[in-house]
């Protein structure tokens, strides 16, 4: 493994022509990555005051000439002006020991709607005045697992109860759907154009129809369609076919092409369901077929994959923690490829300057950046601070 074939992880990419905006998840660094020359046209620290940078601010979106950066553990929504190269902040009033955890957001009719998992609230952001103009509490108990926008509504899946909350973007009203009682917990939701697909804490997926409120179970027990690849799920060796696991089997789901896709939390195979036949199959990525003895966790990131993007209703960009690379699935051809994304020389130098040449040993990409900086030290890669680098090379993350 070397710096030319690995990449830092992030929670999403926002595409703009031949560029992608993203936040390096371990460092709170906003980047505008040029997909043609592999250099970052923008690479800047988000000025959050939290000492713990891991997912302080995690996802971003472009609105007009600004980049909105949404917090997971931080307390501010940060706005980066592309024109001025400066940040402004929208403060979020948070109760003690509660994090906003904003992973889902959309623009609608000149406003930005963002869903907070822990607060169980949809925030309405006014981009013109740079403020939160309203907030709608979806529920009082539990939390929100995942949300999806369908037409002029946001559907939010409860993480604790068997409920789905529908927020109408036009009327701002909330409708609660009580799902048929199956004794299940759910972790993810997507919409295939006709029905909703849910994943949860068992090796099975669920099809929900809003009109008749029917819920069908599709076990992942067909040949080649089990998500495991291990005899037991990695969570304490539990069998997630006959009982519910403590952690989700599926962490993400997304509709692309004529399939709904389910990305596992810690297991091997990526499952997809045919929208029409409802048949389940799996993509087997040979490089990802690991066993229980394999170690691929990185720092605080205890997941197998991160779903980074879906583009053109066809391609799914999935970051592999074990390979430190972007895996892209073609939902039409049902094939995959490893993307050769890497940071160019200028971006590596800029990154070293941003982190003051102090790197985290627990993060593979940072270890490789450090090695590369050392290799280039004769070219003043760290502006003559090689002695300081030597003192700080393997600094464990304080989190």
């Amino acid at each position: 493994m070397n710096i030319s074939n690995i990449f830092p992880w992030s929670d999403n990419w926002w595409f703009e022509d031949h560029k992608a905006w993203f936040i390096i998840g371990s460092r709170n660094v906003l980047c505008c990555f040029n997909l043609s020359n592999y250099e970052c046209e923008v690479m800047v620290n988000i000025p959050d005051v939290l000492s713990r940078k891991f997912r302080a601010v995690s996802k971003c979106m472009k609105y007009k000439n600004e980049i909105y950066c949404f917090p997971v553990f931080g307390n501010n929504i940060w706005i980066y002006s592309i024109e001025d190269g400066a940040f402004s902040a929208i403060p979020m009033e948070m109760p003690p020991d509660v994090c906003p955890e904003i992973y889902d957001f959309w623009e609608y009719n000149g406003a930005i709607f963002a869903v907070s998992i822990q607060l169980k609230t949809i925030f309405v952001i006014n981009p013109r005045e740079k403020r939160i103009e309203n907030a709608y509490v979806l529920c009082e108990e539990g939390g929100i697992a995942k949300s999806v926008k369908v037409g002029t509504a946001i559907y939010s899946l409860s993480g604790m109860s068997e409920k789905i909350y529908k927020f109408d973007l036009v009327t701002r009203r909330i409708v609660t759907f009580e799902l048929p009682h199956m004794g299940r917990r759910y972790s993810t939701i997507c919409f295939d154009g006709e029905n909703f697909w849910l994943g949860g804490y068992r090796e099975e997926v669920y099809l929900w129809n809003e009109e008749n409120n029917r819920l069908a179970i599709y076990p992942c027990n067909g040949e080649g369609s089990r998500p495991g690849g291990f005899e037991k799920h990695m969570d304490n060796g539990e069998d997630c076919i006959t009982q519910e696991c403590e952690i989700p089997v599926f962490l993400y789901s997304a509709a692309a092409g004529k399939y709904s896709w389910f990305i596992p939390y810690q297991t091997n195979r990526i499952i997809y369901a045919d929208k029409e036949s409802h048949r389940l199959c799996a993509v087997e990525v040979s490089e990802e077929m690991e066993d229980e003895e394999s170690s691929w966790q990185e720092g605080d990131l205890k997941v197998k994959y991160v779903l980074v993007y879906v583009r053109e209703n066809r391609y799914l960009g999935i970051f592999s923690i074990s390979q430190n690379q972007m895996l892209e699935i073609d939902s039409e051809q049902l094939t995959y490829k490893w993307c050769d994304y890497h940071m160019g020389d200028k971006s590596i130098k800029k990154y070293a300057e941003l982190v003051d040449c102090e790197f985290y040993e627990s993060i593979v990409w940072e270890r490789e950046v450090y090695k590369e900086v050392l290799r280039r030290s004769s070219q003043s890669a760290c502006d003559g601070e090689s002695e300081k680098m030597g003192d700080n090379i393997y600094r464990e993350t304080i989190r």
Side-chain angles (χ1 to χ4, degrees):
M1 186 174 289
N2 58 69
I3 198 67
S4 66
N5 60 14
I6 64 173
F7 206 78
W9 69 269
S10 56
D11 275 311
N12 82 316
W13 281 19
W14 187 273
F15 287 100
E16 178 191 23
D17 300 325
H18 64 288
K19 305 173 187 178
W21 288 90
F22 62 84
I23 298 167
I24 297 178
S26 60
R27 283 289 197 167
N28 219 24
V29 172
L30 175 66
C31 301
C32 179
F33 183 61
N34 189 309
L35 298 167
S36 300
N37 62 17
Y38 295 167
E39 293 287 0
C40 286
E41 298 179 3
V42 174
M43 181 181 278
V44 58
N45 280 315
I46 298 173
D48 200 282
V49 297
L50 286 180
S51 59
R52 185 179 189 269
K53 301 303 180 185
F54 175 81
R55 276 184 172 151
V57 181
S58 184
K59 282 192 169 187
C60 65
M61 67 173 286
K62 186 172 185 284
Y63 180 79
K64 294 188 176 179
N65 207 34
E66 296 173 321
I67 305 298
Y68 280 71
C69 306
F70 295 94
V72 171
F73 298 113
N75 292 325
N76 294 289
I77 298 168
W78 289 96
I79 307 167
Y80 177 78
S81 169
I82 298 174
E83 183 178 345
D84 299 336
F87 281 96
S88 57
I90 300 177
M92 300 187 72
E93 298 296 327
M94 303 297 299
D97 302 320
V98 174
C99 304
E101 286 196 89
I102 295 176
Y103 288 105
D104 298 310
F105 42 82
W106 302 270
E107 184 274 334
Y108 176 76
N109 198 26
I112 296 172
F113 295 79
V115 184
S116 168
I117 289 177
Q118 286 201 28
L119 293 176
K120 306 172 282 290
T121 297
I122 293 179
F123 290 97
V124 184
I125 301 162
N126 185 325
R128 294 174 300 280
E129 300 179 12
K130 306 289 190 298
R131 65 181 181 89
I132 295 173
E133 69 175 20
N134 220 327
Y136 299 88
V137 178
L138 295 170
C139 59
E140 297 297 334
E141 79 289 349
I144 300 301
K146 189 69 178 173
S147 299
V148 61
K149 179 180 175 291
V150 179
T152 58
I154 295 172
Y155 293 78
S156 295
L157 177 69
S158 172
M160 299 299 292
S161 61
E162 296 171 288
K163 295 178 181 179
I164 292 175
Y165 306 99
K166 179 181 179 180
F167 177 81
D168 191 303
L169 292 164
V170 179
T171 66
R172 309 285 178 92
R173 294 178 179 173
I174 300 168
V175 175
T176 301
F177 292 93
E178 297 266 1
L179 299 178
H181 179 62
M182 300 282 191
R184 302 293 198 267
R185 282 192 299 158
Y186 304 106
S187 58
T188 185
I189 184 173
C190 67
F191 183 70
D192 70 6
E194 294 184 9
N195 297 296
F196 293 84
W197 289 87
L198 284 61
Y201 292 72
R202 292 176 182 251
E203 289 190 13
E204 56 193 21
V205 298
Y206 315 93
L207 183 71
W208 177 61
N209 183 277
E210 178 183 359
E211 291 184 6
N212 57 31
N213 196 29
R214 290 182 179 175
L215 189 68
I217 299 176
Y218 293 92
C220 302
N221 56 9
E223 183 177 353
S225 67
R226 285 195 62 192
F230 310 157
E231 286 188 8
K232 303 288 185 181
H233 190 269
M234 287 188 67
D235 180 28
N236 300 322
E238 289 182 316
D239 180 356
C240 292
I241 298 176
T242 60
Q243 61 183 330
E244 195 171 83
C245 290
E246 292 182 6
I247 60 175
V249 173
F250 299 108
L251 186 58
Y252 306 94
S253 62
K258 66 174 188 175
Y259 302 102
S260 291
W261 297 81
F262 295 87
I263 316 303
Y265 192 107
Q266 289 187 341
T267 51
N268 286 329
R269 295 185 180 94
I270 297 168
I271 305 300
Y272 59 95
D274 189 292
K275 295 179 182 179
E276 296 179 1
S277 69
H278 303 163
R279 180 172 179 263
L280 302 185
C281 298
V283 171
E284 294 212 18
V285 182
S286 59
E287 297 88 343
E288 296 288 349
M289 291 296 109
E290 304 175 83
D291 58 30
E292 290 143 307
E293 301 303 318
S294 302
S295 177
W296 40 258
Q297 298 178 8
E298 172 152 328
D300 284 347
L301 204 62
K302 310 301 182 184
V303 302
K304 176 84 170 180
Y305 302 106
V306 178
L307 177 61
V308 178
Y309 62 79
V310 178
R311 61 181 180 90
E312 301 172 30
N313 191 33
R314 176 173 178 176
Y315 301 101
L316 294 94
I318 301 169
F319 191 85
S320 164
I321 299 304
S322 66
Q323 305 297 318
N324 283 274
Q325 286 180 286
M326 191 78 77
L327 171 74
E328 190 171 85
I329 294 177
D330 184 334
S331 66
E332 287 187 7
Q333 300 297 321
L334 297 179
T335 57
Y336 72 88
K337 69 174 183 179
W338 291 100
C339 301
D340 62 349
Y341 299 132
H342 61 273
M343 292 282 189
D345 293 351
K346 294 179 181 178
S347 300
I348 290 174
K349 181 179 179 181
K350 177 63 175 176
Y351 185 79
E353 293 171 353
L354 279 180
V355 302
D356 199 24
C357 292
E358 296 183 359
F359 303 100
Y360 293 150
E361 182 183 15
S362 60
I363 299 173
V364 173
W365 190 73
E366 296 222 350
R367 292 203 301 267
E368 295 303 323
V369 170
Y370 164 68
K371 292 176 186 177
E372 187 67 11
V373 169
L374 278 187
R375 190 183 69 82
R376 301 176 186 180
S377 58
S378 60
Q379 303 170 14
S380 301
C382 258
D383 296 326
E385 294 198 17
S386 57
E387 183 175 345
K388 178 181 179 181
M389 264 191 330
D391 293 335
N392 297 310
I393 53 175
Y394 281 157
R395 173 179 169 225
E396 279 293 332
T397 310
I398 301 173
R399 295 172 178 164

